């Protein structure tokens, strides 16, 4: 043990000396040969050399403190848990992350140039006689976690993407990364090119804050070089769905909050579950960023809070639906692809509308799950069609066709106190909408109609079809749209809210929902030009398209005039635009 501790001390001293000797521009030039001139200056202006890192293996905390002191280092704070290094070690050594007690310390180093940098010390506790000795020996030899790091000055997504691209142009290869909720920071790892002269092959970009959207592309590029790992992660997607659903179903999220960490034993008592098994679930959800872990236990992240029943914009109902009926039906996806028949109907013996209607509990869950995606609606009340209708001197009426529990219509009426509303829905859903809109104070301005698409009320000023057409095949869509066209006065507008498939094949939630609709409803998502043809067949014309959150779109439609058969749409910006 004395020999190994001495080895850790000498490596730590060498790291301290390296940090003192380097500056940002010099180190970048050594790491990325060829990076010079204006581009070197541009990169150096946007990130600073902040630290060098290494992994040490003390038997206990006192030995770690002694090693730091021997190198002239003082840690001002206790070690924080290392999520990323712990997970990397677990994968590399086929160990459970729970048995790897890895902490992070960042003692400061005063540099001759006046800069204040630090040494990042990852410490894996290896008690005497532990079977982790083999892990320590391997890591000391290979130095997998040794790296140098640059901190991004301006945590802006465009700057971050530009820095990642610059590293790539000069031979650096993506090598993983992650988000650490304990310190609210995102790291991007690279392998330096073989010709690098810094003595370090691993480079980190550290960015304060949560930048997992940019990180996703970085990790995709890394995994693309490791196809077996990529496929394995994809195959475990079902585990993620069920972990989130179980978290919601067992009311664990409702027993937690963002402000206070709670221990596993206390939490298990509160929700009446097995403490060891709950700990396993929470560690997995920590990896997903749904909960965070510290020395006091676990707490919810912003993402996890959305699984609380009482959270604003709660998505708990979606977790229960996707982890429940739709999870069961997706097991029959191969049946749908092979036969063209709807997997949900094969699984439950009837279509999903009838199945939910016969079960009040499922019907309520479905309506709440539809409302759970309401962030898509945030900008819709400000659409010019609705704004103009609200300003009409004679007043105006908005007709929400198959409007669910009234979530969208309620938002429109709240934003525009002069508008009136009509909600058309199935009888049991109408009663739910009546209660919710009444609680919001909209009863006097809203009428409720129980009926089908053939019962679309005539004489409205604005009609809304939100996430309706994707439930149906083309023939049924034409029928629905013809009912709308017959009810609409010549001056009326129709707003169709859907996820529109991108014409260029780029990534979109619409592509995932296209699979979902095919499997569970027999419907589909469509491209903008496809919708334009359906509108034209019903005597309507597509005027414009506006993006919405969650890869949604609002399609503005009007009745076709005598000289307008819808053909003008083909040449407009509507066709093939990217949501």
């Amino acid at each position: 043990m004395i020999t190994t501790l001495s080895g850790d001390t000498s490596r730590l001293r060498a790291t301290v000396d390296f940090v003192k000797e380097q500056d940002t521009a010099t180190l970048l030039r050594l790491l990325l040969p060829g990076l010079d001139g204006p581009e070197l200056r541009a990169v150096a202006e946007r990130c600073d050399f902040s630290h060098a890192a290494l992994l040490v293996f003390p038997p206990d905390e006192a030995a770690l403190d002694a090693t730091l002191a021997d190198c002239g280092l003082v840690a001002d704070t206790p070690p924080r848990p290392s999520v990323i290094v712990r997970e990397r070690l677990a994968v590399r050594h086929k160990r459970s992350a729970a048995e790897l007690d890895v902490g992070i310390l960042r003692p400061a180093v005063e540099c001759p140039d006046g800069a204040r940098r630090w040494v990042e010390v990852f410490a894996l506790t290896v008690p005497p006689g532990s079977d982790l000795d083999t892990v320590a020996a391997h890591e000391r030899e290979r130095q997998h976690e040794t790296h140098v790091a640059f901190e991004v000055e301006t945590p802006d997504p465009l700057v971050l993407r530009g820095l990642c691209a610059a590293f790539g142009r000069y031979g650096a290869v993506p090598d993983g990364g992650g988000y650490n909720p304990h310190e609210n920071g995102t790291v991007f790892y690279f392998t330096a090119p073989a010709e690098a002269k810094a003595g370090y092959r691993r480079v980190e970009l550290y960015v304060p804050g949560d930048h997992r959207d940019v990180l996703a592309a970085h990790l995709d590029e890394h995994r693309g070089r490791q196809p077996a790992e990529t496929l394995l992660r994809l195959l475990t997607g079902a585990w993620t769905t069920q972990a989130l659903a179980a978290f919601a179903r067992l009311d664990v999220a409702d027993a937690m909050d963002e402000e206070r960490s709670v221990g596993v034993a206390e939490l298990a008592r509160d929700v009446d579950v097995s403490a060891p098994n709950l700990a396993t679930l929470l560690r997995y959800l920590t990896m997903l960023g749904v909960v965070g872990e510290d020395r006091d236990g676990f707490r919810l992240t912003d993402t996890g809070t959305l699984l609380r029943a009482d959270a604003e914009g709660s998505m708990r109902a979606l977790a229960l639906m996707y982890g429940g009926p739709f999870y069961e039906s997706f097991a029959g996806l191969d049946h749908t692809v092979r036969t063209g028949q709807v997997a949900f109907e094969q699984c439950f013996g009837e279509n999903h509308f009838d199945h939910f209607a016969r079960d009040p509990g499922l019907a309520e869950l479905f309506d709440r799950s539809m409302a759970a995606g309401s962030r898509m609606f945030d900008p819709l009340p400000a659409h010019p069609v609705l704004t103009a209708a609200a300003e009409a001197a004679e007043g105006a009426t908005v007709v929400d066709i198959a409007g669910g529990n009234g979530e969208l219509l309620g938002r429109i009426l709240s934003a525009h106190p002069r508008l009136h509303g009509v909600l058309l829905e199935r009888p049991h859903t109408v009663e739910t909408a009546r209660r919710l809109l009444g609680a919001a104070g909209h009863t006097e301005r809203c009428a409720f109609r129980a009926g089908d698409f053939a019962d679309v009320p005539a004489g409205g000023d604005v009609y809304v079809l939100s996430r309706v057409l994707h439930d149906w095949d083309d023939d049924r869509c034409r029928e629905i749209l013809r009912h709308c066209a017959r009810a609409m006065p010549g001056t009326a507008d129709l707003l169709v809210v859907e996820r529109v498939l991108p014409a260029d094949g780029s990534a979109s939630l619409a592509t995932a929902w296209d699979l979902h609709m095919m499997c569970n409803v027999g419907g589909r998502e469509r491209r903008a030009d496809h919708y334009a043809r359906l509108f034209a067949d019903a005597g309507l014309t597509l005027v414009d398209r506006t993006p919405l959150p969650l890869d949604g779109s609002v399609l503005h439609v009007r009745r076709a005039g005598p000289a307008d058969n819808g053909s003008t749409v083909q040449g407009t910006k509507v066709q093939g635009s990217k949501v």
Side-chain angles (χ1 to χ4, degrees):
M1 183 63 68
I2 294 176
T3 302
T4 54
L5 284 176
S6 174
D8 284 348
T9 303
S10 63
R11 289 191 303 119
L12 189 53
R13 284 200 183 106
T15 304
V16 172
D17 291 341
F18 181 88
V19 169
K20 290 180 177 180
E21 294 165 1
Q22 299 299 326
D23 62 76
T24 300
T26 301
L27 184 54
L28 281 169
R29 194 181 292 112
L30 292 172
L31 288 167
L32 304 173
L35 179 62
D36 210 341
E39 192 163 15
L40 172 62
R41 289 194 295 274
V43 172
E45 286 172 359
R46 288 165 174 80
C47 63
D48 274 339
F49 171 44
S50 60
H51 67 267
L54 76 166
L55 175 60
V56 297
F57 306 92
D60 51 43
E61 191 169 332
L64 175 60
D65 290 341
T67 300
L68 294 175
D70 284 347
C71 300
L73 298 173
V74 177
D76 296 331
T77 59
R80 292 184 176 183
S82 170
V83 175
I84 299 166
V85 172
R86 184 180 67 177
E87 294 298 334
R88 285 170 58 86
L89 288 172
V91 171
R92 201 152 54 232
H93 296 280
K94 298 180 174 59
R95 299 270 187 157
S96 166
E99 63 180 307
L100 301 174
D101 181 16
V102 183
I104 309 175
L105 288 166
R106 293 195 178 94
V109 175
E110 296 296 337
C111 302
D113 61 2
R116 184 176 173 84
R117 302 188 183 98
W118 62 89
V119 173
E120 185 171 65
V121 181
F122 299 109
L124 171 61
T125 303
V126 182
S130 168
D131 65 351
L132 294 177
D133 279 337
T134 56
V135 174
H138 174 90
E139 293 296 325
R140 282 193 180 97
E141 178 186 354
R142 303 295 179 87
Q143 298 293 308
H144 292 295
E145 300 306 326
T146 299
H147 65 264
V148 290
F150 297 84
E151 183 164 347
V152 179
E153 291 289 292
T154 306
D156 177 271
L158 289 177
V159 170
L160 187 51
R161 289 189 179 97
L163 286 171
C164 289
F167 274 53
R169 280 195 300 275
Y170 289 92
V173 176
D175 186 26
Y179 169 68
N180 189 339
H182 305 297
E183 58 185 38
N184 189 27
T186 311
V187 297
F188 298 74
Y189 285 125
F190 297 84
T191 299
E195 58 271 24
K197 300 178 178 64
Y200 287 81
R201 290 297 311 283
R202 205 148 177 267
V203 185
E204 171 193 316
L205 280 179
Y206 176 83
V207 195
D210 186 346
H211 298 275
R212 278 177 282 190
D213 50 348
V214 182
L215 178 66
H218 178 81
L219 294 178
D220 284 345
E221 187 173 348
H222 168 58
R223 290 168 186 157
R225 302 169 185 272
Q226 303 174 57
E229 180 184 343
T230 299
L231 183 58
L232 187 59
R233 289 178 181 274
L234 293 173
L235 287 171
T236 61
W239 305 352
T240 298
T241 301
Q242 284 303 327
L244 294 169
F247 189 61
R249 195 180 295 119
L250 294 170
D251 298 323
V252 183
D254 294 280
M256 301 174 67
D257 59 47
E258 293 180 273
E259 304 301 326
R260 182 181 73 91
S261 296
V262 59
V264 172
E266 177 187 345
L267 190 56
R269 287 194 301 271
D270 289 344
V271 297
D272 193 24
V273 300
S274 161
N277 292 355
L278 177 60
T280 299
L281 173 62
L282 291 172
R283 282 194 298 270
Y284 182 77
L285 294 173
T286 299
M287 186 173 68
L288 300 178
V290 176
V291 299
E293 182 183 8
D294 57 30
R295 290 181 175 272
D296 297 322
F298 294 88
R299 57 175 177 76
L300 289 175
T301 63
D302 290 344
T303 300
T305 299
L306 293 175
L307 292 172
R308 288 177 58 98
D310 61 354
E312 183 179 356
S314 172
M315 300 178 76
R316 181 177 186 272
L318 273 179
L320 299 179
M321 184 62 69
Y322 292 163
F326 288 145
Y327 189 88
E328 294 180 51
S329 58
F330 248 107
L333 177 60
D334 57 337
H335 174 79
T336 294
V337 173
R338 185 174 61 252
T339 68
Q341 298 169 2
V342 178
F344 190 100
E345 296 175 10
Q346 183 203 33
C347 180
F348 294 102
E350 58 188 337
N351 72 63
H352 97 289
F353 294 110
D354 292 339
H355 184 70
F356 293 159
R358 285 196 308 101
D359 184 329
L362 270 181
E364 181 186 3
L365 178 62
F366 177 71
D367 288 338
R368 285 192 286 115
S369 72
M370 290 294 288
S374 61
R375 180 171 169 265
M376 181 188 289
F377 303 147
D378 286 350
L380 192 60
H383 192 282
V385 163
L386 291 168
T387 301
E391 294 173 351
E394 64 277 15
T397 298
V398 178
V399 180
D400 193 355
I401 305 163
N405 66 3
E407 169 74 25
L408 175 55
L409 185 56
R411 286 170 175 248
I412 293 171
L413 296 179
S414 294
H416 302 293
R418 298 183 67 243
L419 287 178
H420 288 76
V422 178
L423 186 134
L424 174 69
E425 250 297 354
R426 297 157 293 169
H428 72 276
T429 304
V430 160
E431 293 310 310
T432 300
R434 191 190 303 274
R435 289 195 303 273
L436 293 177
L437 288 171
H442 299 316
T443 304
E444 293 184 1
R445 290 192 290 136
C446 191
F448 300 89
R449 303 283 180 86
D452 203 344
F453 294 115
D455 304 309
V456 176
D461 299 286
V462 181
Y463 289 76
V464 177
L465 269 176
S466 176
R467 299 182 295 179
V468 170
L469 296 181
H470 73 162
D471 287 336
W472 308 101
D473 62 22
D474 283 0
D475 287 341
R476 181 65 164 145
C477 284
R478 292 187 187 96
E479 182 183 346
I480 293 168
L481 290 167
R482 287 180 181 127
H483 287 310
C484 295
R486 280 193 293 269
M488 291 168 60
T491 57
D493 297 280
L494 170 63
L495 299 180
V496 175
V497 178
E498 295 287 356
R499 288 187 172 95
V500 177
L501 289 171
D504 60 2
S506 55
S508 169
L509 286 173
T511 305
W513 256 258
D514 197 21
L515 188 72
H516 169 69
M517 302 310 294
M518 177 185 75
C519 182
N520 287 293
V521 185
R524 61 183 299 185
E525 307 296 349
R526 297 168 172 89
R527 290 182 9 170
D529 56 353
H530 191 154
Y531 276 117
R533 291 193 296 272
L534 293 177
F535 298 145
D537 290 344
L540 301 165
T541 185
L542 177 55
V543 177
D544 199 2
R545 172 185 170 197
T546 307
L548 295 173
L550 302 177
D551 280 354
S553 288
V554 54
L555 306 171
H556 177 199
V557 182
R558 305 203 78 184
R559 287 183 60 173
D564 185 357
N565 59 8
S567 60
T568 56
V569 173
Q570 303 305 315
T572 70
K573 65 180 178 180
V574 171
Q575 185 175 358
S577 59
K578 172 80 169 67
V579 182

